[in-house]
């Protein structure tokens, strides 16, 4: 078999519609979240209230945030409570028990973070090339208002024809319902579509179960055994595939 190169499916297949996940695929959730928390740390004068450094505040917040998200995933806490409690517990750690501060900070976090504009390197330049050749769409788990705000503020909106949120679809990825809804909104067939996302369980398995090929964007090399059709380490590698 020496010298015989297998044909790559990508050469044979004609994709027409590319569906992108938003958070942690295009929009840099971690960086934007950290920036928002830094704004909040200074806005509420936390250094003067006894929280000596942003790093300590950030580490404490992250610890509680992760614990509460674990509870949320097990349906043990409501999202509204999670949003406030991660600040309540953080402040309590530093002896701050002011009744409204946690609520104000929680409100600011949810309001301000979607206005952040951090994208992964190569996002705009890659989309710029792809938009001339394919129909580009978004499929995202999240709220209409929040996800649209992120797209507008970060300059992404103009690249996408259809933006499908789970709130609008009434179902979340990886449920097949959101993919069939997205295909119908875009006027696309599964066989000519490609889903691009960072989450093996949500984006990749969801799309595969709906007959859509998938690209895993594995920024941190977390899924070497991914079952995705393709796996790339950064967004610009899409241009080698497509
Ligand atoms: Mg994601």
């Amino acid at each position: 078999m020496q010298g015989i190169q297998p044909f790559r499916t990508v050469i044979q297949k004609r994709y027409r519609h590319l569906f992108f996940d938003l958070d942690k695929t295009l929009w840099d959730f971690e960086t934007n979240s950290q920036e928002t928390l830094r704004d909040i740390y200074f806005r509420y004068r936390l250094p003067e209230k006894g929280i000596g450094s942003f790093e300590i505040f950030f580490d404490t917040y992250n610890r509680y945030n992760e614990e509460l998200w674990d509870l949320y995933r097990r349906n043990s806490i409501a999202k509204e409570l999670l949003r406030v409690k991660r600040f309540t517990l953080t402040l309590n750690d530093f002896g701050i028990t002011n009744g409204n501060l946690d609520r104000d900070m929680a409100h600011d976090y949810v309001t301000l973070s979607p206005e952040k504009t951090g994208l992964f390197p190569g996002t705009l330049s890659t989309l710029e090339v792809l938009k001339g050749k394919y129909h580009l769409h978004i499929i995202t788990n999240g709220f209409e208002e929040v996800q649209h705000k992120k797209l507008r503020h970060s300059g992404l909106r103009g690249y996408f024809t259809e933006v499908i949120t789970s709130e609008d679809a009434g179902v979340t990825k990886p449920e097949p319902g959101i993919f069939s809804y997205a295909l119908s909104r875009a006027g696309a067939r599964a066989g000519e579509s490609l889903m691009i996302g960072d989450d093996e369980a949500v984006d990749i398995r969801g799309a595969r179960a709906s007959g859509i090929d998938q690209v895993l964007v594995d920024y941190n090399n977390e899924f070497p055994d991914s079952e995705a059709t393709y796996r790339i380490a950064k967004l610009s590698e899409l241009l080698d595939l497509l």
Side-chain angles (χ1 to χ4, degrees), residues 21-25 198-199 203:
D21 167 54
L22 180 58
D23 291 337
K24 301 186 184 179
T25 295
D198 70 293
D199 194 313
D203 301 310

Side-chain angles (χ1 to χ4, degrees), residues 68-85:
L68 291 164
W69 268 96
D70 270 349
L71 292 177
Y72 176 74
R73 285 189 207 98
R74 285 184 266 133
N75 288 322
S76 301
I77 185 172
K79 195 158 202 168
E80 293 69 30
L81 186 56
L82 174 153
R83 283 176 169 173
V84 177
K85 202 165 181 188

Side-chain angles (χ1 to χ4, degrees), residues 141-154:
N141 281 351
F143 295 105
E144 278 283 293
E145 192 190 337
V146 173
Q147 301 306 73
H148 278 277
K149 199 169 173 186
K150 289 176 186 170
L151 289 166
R152 276 198 312 276
H153 280 266
S154 60

Side-chain angles (χ1 to χ4, degrees), residues 62 97 144:
N62 276 335
T97 50
E144 278 283 293

